[in-house]
Amino acid sequence: MSSSSQRAQIQEIIDTTEAEDQSSTLEPEVDGDHAQDGDAGSDKPQASSSKSKKKKKSKAAKVLDAVRGKNEIPQELVSHVVDRVVAEHGPNTAASNEDNIRLALEQMKIMDVIKGKSGVSGRGKKAMGEHKFWATQPVPQLGDEVPPEDGFIEPSKPREEVRQEPYPLPKDFEWSILDINDPKQIKEVYDLLSLNYVEDDEAAFRFQYSAEFLEWALKPPGYLKEWHLGVRVVSNQKLVAFISGVPMTLRVRGNVFRASEINYLCVHKKLRSKRLAPVLIKEITRQVNLTGIFQAIYTAGVVLPTPVSTCRYFHRSLNIQKLIDVKFTYVPRSMTLARMIRVYKTAAQPQLSGLREMEDRDVSEVADLFTRYMQRFSMGQVMTLDEICHQFLSGRGRMDEPSEHHRRPGQVVWTYVVEDPETHRITDFFSFYSLPSTIINHPKHALLEAAYLFYYASDMAFAEDSEADSKLKKRLETLMGDALIIANQAKFDVFNALTLMDNCGFLENLRFGAGDGLLNFYLYNWRTAPLAGVSAVGGVEPGKGIGVVML
Ligand code: MYA
């Protein structure tokens, strides 16, 4: 980026922050002026909902033509749905009428665009010229051809050629390297994220990463404190923006390299749309480059140039009554609440014999199983023993304090192994982590307790007979069935999983439902052909392109 365009960006931040400065604090507040600033969200529902309604109307008007015009629902899709409906409900229902089905599909498509899940021209893409920042970065640009070979986009530089001084911030702001070992500073990150981090489209739920979770996620072996980067207001030292990276080894198809996993990019709601995010991204890139690393992986709900894969969230309801109360789910017309509760009830105890919590003594066997299993996927994380230990054990919570409902104080990750009762070998393992969401402005419930499927493996994948595939599918179904039982015992309300790894094979039978949310995977400064996520790519089945789970 040229220094003059960079100056223009900084100027934009200076202009807006001068206004902020007069109010001296940066607490979120909603007022008319603020809404006109293009603030992306607010704590007060009236302001944000009236704003999003405005957006919805104009989008809806644009989209009707697109959906009804050349983007018609294909006849094959309509026929396929008719066949499914007839098979399930018989031929003589209103639901099996072809016109009704076409109309319903059109409405679903319109709703997708209105909710921002897809753009008029596809998946929320902006025209390339509109990505002023991303157009300058070493990432594949939207519409680029599939690369003939994998490799970097820009070559690595020697340390002395990497920019030595931090990128400038407006005069009222300063960079701050956060010390995650200091409980006060981790609490500051927690406070920033819990009020300003990712929300759903309707601003009903917002991720609430706990301080213990952040400590676990931000301190894997070899972490660098310089990659925990904050922006503070000079006058009162308030933390108003954050971005982080952690080191990891990534395999993309046949190439293995050191990379940075970038996460928790967050700008305070009052400083949105001021082009601060690009400055944070450039500064973390500089910090990462200074350590000799030039590649990164990151995920986002938004479509940027250019996803290497896209996965869909699936949700397995556990606490039906609460999920209905908070409108996370609803009782379908064909069901009653009582029946729904019955259908989603999990068994009282796990089913697999030999299932137990992972312990320190299991690390090398789990590492071996993990490494072999991850070869199934086009892209995966390569982990050392220390990393296995960190990812699966260090977030177990305080071992010396009593646990309640299968949850220790401070526990963020649950890892279970299956020990063969005869050979005592570890044949399988699974893990999930706790990531609750604040339920915004709900009179009764404050927190949605969500478990997210993390890594797993089964040695059934290495069976050599012709039945191996279906045996693995069955085994994973049982294994994940037990994960659901444990999550239910630990009082999670919902269990979430993405369409990655081998997940697509068990989601439906275990009664996961497709969610609204898509998660895009990105690689920085690395070119490779698209990887199978929500859909199959080049003969690779859905999910099997992605073997990296980002926290
Ligand atoms: S994903 C989670 C992101 N966080 C949230 O969604 C929390 C709530 N939202 C916010 O805090 C703000 O809206 C954020 C943007 C901070 C997201 N990733 O400052 P702006 C581009 C990348 O005016 P704001 C996660 O943590 C946008 O397209 N870029 O916007 C992974 C535009 O560029 P362009 C994003 O709304 C992060 C520009 O920023 C994202 O005030 C991976 C606008 O800037 C996004 N999620 O702030 C980061 N959202 O004009 C990349 C918007 O070109 C890492 N933008 O379209 C890259 C690798 C770096 C290391 C490399 C090492 C080798």
Side-chain angles (χ1 to χ4, degrees):
M1 171 175 290
S2 74
S3 60
S4 62
S5 64
Q6 192 186 317
R7 266 200 304 280
Q9 278 191 3
I10 300 289
Q11 188 57 48
E12 212 178 331
I13 300 169
I14 293 171
D15 290 348
T16 51
T17 51
E18 273 169 1
E20 298 299 339
D21 212 16
Q22 286 151 21
S23 68
S24 82
T25 72
L26 279 158
E27 289 301 332
E29 59 177 40
V30 177
D31 56 45
D33 295 349
H34 186 48
Q36 282 161 16
D37 268 358
D39 185 12
S42 83
D43 283 349
K44 298 200 181 152
Q46 307 89 311
S48 73
S49 66
S50 67
K51 194 168 157 247
S52 65
K53 264 188 213 140
K54 230 196 249 166
K55 237 191 202 163
K56 284 176 186 175
K57 262 188 219 152
S58 58
K59 268 192 185 169
K62 272 192 210 158
V63 99
L64 272 166
D65 294 342
V67 172
R68 292 188 175 276
K70 60 182 176 342
N71 268 340
E72 247 174 34
I73 306 288
Q75 180 57 41
E76 309 90 86
L77 178 61
V78 178
S79 308
H80 177 76
V81 178
V82 171
D83 290 347
R84 290 280 302 261
V85 172
V86 170
E88 277 184 32
H89 303 285
N92 298 324
T93 60
S96 66
N97 175 298
E98 190 172 306
D99 287 342
N100 290 349
I101 284 176
R102 184 181 300 280
L103 196 67
L105 288 170
E106 282 189 0
Q107 281 166 350
M108 279 160 64
K109 206 164 166 193
I110 292 168
M111 284 312 291
D112 268 3
V113 185
I114 289 171
K115 286 182 179 173
K117 280 180 239 159
S118 56
V120 176
S121 60
R123 285 187 309 157
K125 289 177 194 161
K126 285 205 243 174
M128 201 41 238
E130 290 175 50
H131 287 290
K132 287 204 182 74
F133 169 65
W134 283 109
T136 67
Q137 296 299 296
V139 291
Q141 301 298 321
L142 297 172
D144 276 5
E145 300 280 300
V146 172
E149 275 179 19
D150 288 16
F152 57 75
I153 295 167
E154 271 176 15
S156 308
K157 290 183 196 160
R159 194 178 197 279
E160 59 279 9
E161 282 178 30
V162 175
R163 183 188 163 107
Q164 299 295 311
E165 45 317 314
Y167 284 91
L169 281 171
K171 72 175 166 40
D172 300 311
F173 294 87
E174 64 186 23
W175 293 112
S176 170
I177 303 288
L178 274 288
D179 178 0
I180 296 303
N181 293 309
D182 174 2
K184 211 180 113 227
Q185 295 188 45
I186 203 143
K187 168 84 167 41
E188 287 182 287
V189 180
Y190 166 81
D191 286 341
L192 175 71
L193 296 186
S194 61
L195 288 174
N196 300 281
Y197 200 51
V198 178
E199 295 178 5
D200 67 326
D201 290 340
E202 283 81 29
F205 304 99
R206 180 168 56 237
F207 282 146
Q208 199 194 106
Y209 288 90
S210 66
E212 289 94 345
F213 190 109
L214 292 169
E215 205 177 337
W216 173 62
L218 293 175
K219 286 186 4 186
Y223 78 89
L224 290 103
K225 64 176 183 357
E226 291 76 14
W227 295 10
H228 302 153
L229 200 59
V231 172
R232 291 183 187 278
V233 178
V234 174
S235 59
N236 61 9
Q237 289 298 292
K238 187 178 170 75
L239 184 70
V240 289
F242 184 72
I243 190 166
S244 71
V246 292
M248 54 115 63
T249 303
L250 187 65
R251 178 182 54 79
V252 183
R253 299 196 155 97
N255 293 286
V256 177
F257 46 84
R258 290 294 281 165
S260 168
E261 190 175 320
I262 304 293
N263 211 341
Y264 311 116
L265 165 62
C266 184
V267 168
H268 193 290
K269 287 185 175 192
K270 287 200 79 176
L271 291 175
R272 295 278 168 86
S273 305
K274 322 291 188 204
R275 313 299 301 180
L276 190 53
V279 188
L280 284 156
I281 295 170
K282 284 192 296 180
E283 182 58 14
I284 194 87
T285 303
R286 190 183 78 82
Q287 291 286 1
V288 172
N289 288 169
L290 282 171
T291 68
I293 293 176
F294 291 83
Q295 273 70 39
I297 181 169
Y298 49 103
T299 53
V302 291
V303 178
L304 306 163
T306 299
V308 68
S309 188
T310 300
C311 293
R312 181 175 288 284
Y313 277 106
F314 274 67
H315 311 281
R316 171 49 160 92
S317 301
L318 295 171
N319 185 348
I320 300 292
Q321 184 63 65
K322 178 167 167 190
L323 294 177
I324 287 169
D325 280 358
V326 304
K327 298 193 166 54
F328 186 92
T329 189
Y330 60 93
V331 186
R333 264 197 297 167
S334 56
M335 264 205 200
T336 61
L337 174 62
R339 172 142 181 263
M340 196 171 169
I341 291 173
R342 241 188 352 264
V343 165
Y344 284 89
K345 195 170 164 51
T346 54
Q349 293 301 328
Q351 312 288 294
L352 279 163
S353 73
L355 187 83
R356 60 168 172 79
E357 245 193 301
M358 181 179 168
E359 296 171 19
D360 296 355
R361 63 184 160 116
D362 303 317
V363 167
S364 69
E365 272 195 83
V366 167
D368 180 58
L369 189 57
F370 172 83
T371 303
R372 291 192 297 144
Y373 194 82
M374 295 317 279
Q375 298 300 324
R376 297 174 58 75
F377 314 115
S378 319
M379 176 167 80
Q381 182 171 359
V382 179
M383 287 202 226
T384 62
L385 290 182
D386 279 354
E387 286 169 329
I388 292 280
C389 207
H390 175 84
Q391 299 290 351
F392 301 127
L393 295 175
S394 76
R396 278 179 298 185
R398 295 186 284 282
M399 305 289 282
D400 47 352
E401 293 178 29
S403 60
E404 206 183 331
H405 304 303
H406 298 263
R407 229 183 237 241
R408 290 184 203 92
Q411 183 161 14
V412 292
V413 68
W414 281 248
T415 308
Y416 281 73
V417 294
V418 180
E419 180 185 320
D420 184 308
E422 278 163 29
T423 64
H424 299 289
R425 305 269 319 157
I426 303 299
T427 56
D428 318 76
F429 85 95
F430 65 75
S431 55
F432 58 85
Y433 59 83
S434 160
L435 168 49
S437 281
T438 304
I439 306 169
I440 302 170
N441 290 312
H442 194 275
K444 185 165 156 206
H445 299 289
L447 208 60
L448 182 73
E449 291 280 4
Y452 285 73
L453 182 57
F454 196 30
Y455 290 107
Y456 57 86
S458 170
D459 73 357
M460 200 61 90
F462 318 123
E464 272 174 11
D465 58 66
S466 57
E467 284 291 291
D469 266 10
S470 64
K471 277 189 188 162
L472 176 64
K473 189 171 156 13
K474 273 212 186 83
R475 180 68 174 185
L476 291 180
E477 220 170 279
T478 316
L479 201 62
M480 297 309 154
D482 277 1
L484 293 175
I485 293 166
I486 291 163
N488 187 53
Q489 288 176 330
K491 299 269 182 259
F492 284 97
D493 299 319
V494 61
F495 193 103
N496 298 331
L498 283 157
T499 54
L500 47 71
M501 295 174 63
D502 284 310
N503 299 2
C504 298
F506 57 76
L507 293 172
E508 200 177 317
N509 284 356
L510 291 177
R511 299 186 200 287
F512 281 79
D516 298 347
L518 294 173
L519 188 68
N520 300 294
F521 282 74
Y522 299 93
L523 295 173
Y524 186 91
N525 198 19
W526 192 261
R527 241 191 258 289
T528 193
L531 300 168
V534 66
S535 30
V537 174
V540 179
E541 289 170 40
K544 295 195 182 158
I546 305 288
V548 179
V549 183
M550 303 243 332
L551 299 173

